[in-house]
Amino acid sequence: MVRKINPMISMGLLGAATGFFLLGTGVTVVDVVARKLVGYNVPGAIELTCYSVGFGALLSMPVCYATRSHVTAKLLSELMPRLFLRPLGRLSTLASLIFAGLLVWILGSNAISKLGSPETSSDLGLPMPVLLSIVALTLGMGFVAACAGIWFEWRRTGGAQ
């Protein structure tokens, strides 16, 4: 099979994504329990949860693009695989590439425009230029992975896989 990516990279990204999802979940649980038992809110809990869950989702995007494991609808390719599987597979990877490129362009432009800005996040006081740069770089990894996904799709041989 041609569409393999380095398992260390994919496991590292998915492991980090899992860690961020667990962090967001943990902060939420601690916040709710502390509020109920001792009347104490975790400072910045909502912001920390949003950032950690969002970054977890961003880290999983490159793996999904490269392995083409994102959500798909295969109605036509299941009905007539010889006719639809390859063209629709190629079209979907091209759409993923365009989408990933637009995300990098939009967020990258925004991150560049914020460089040097003193703007910070509302609760935790994290520097927005750094946060936006991290997001843009992560989306850049997604774009590279979408390029790999389209390469794997075009190199794929045989019928239905």
Side-chain angles (χ1 to χ4, degrees), residues 68-126:
R68 296 178 47 246
S69 57
H70 44 278
V71 176
T72 59
K74 295 184 176 184
L75 181 62
L76 293 174
S77 62
E78 293 293 322
L79 290 174
M80 297 199 275
R82 290 184 188 262
L83 181 61
F84 289 114
L85 185 64
R86 181 165 285 158
L88 290 179
R90 290 178 175 180
L91 180 65
S92 70
T93 55
L94 181 62
S96 293
L97 181 68
I98 291 168
F99 179 70
L102 285 171
L103 286 176
V104 171
W105 180 52
I106 292 167
L107 266 292
S109 300
N110 193 12
I112 289 170
S113 74
K114 299 283 184 181
L115 287 176
S117 167
E119 192 176 345
T120 61
S121 64
S122 60
D123 292 337
L124 298 174
L126 302 172

Side-chain angles (χ1 to χ4, degrees), residues 49-65:
T49 299
C50 289
Y51 288 150
S52 61
V53 170
F55 195 56
L58 287 174
L59 286 173
S60 65
M61 286 174 67
V63 178
C64 293
Y65 281 136

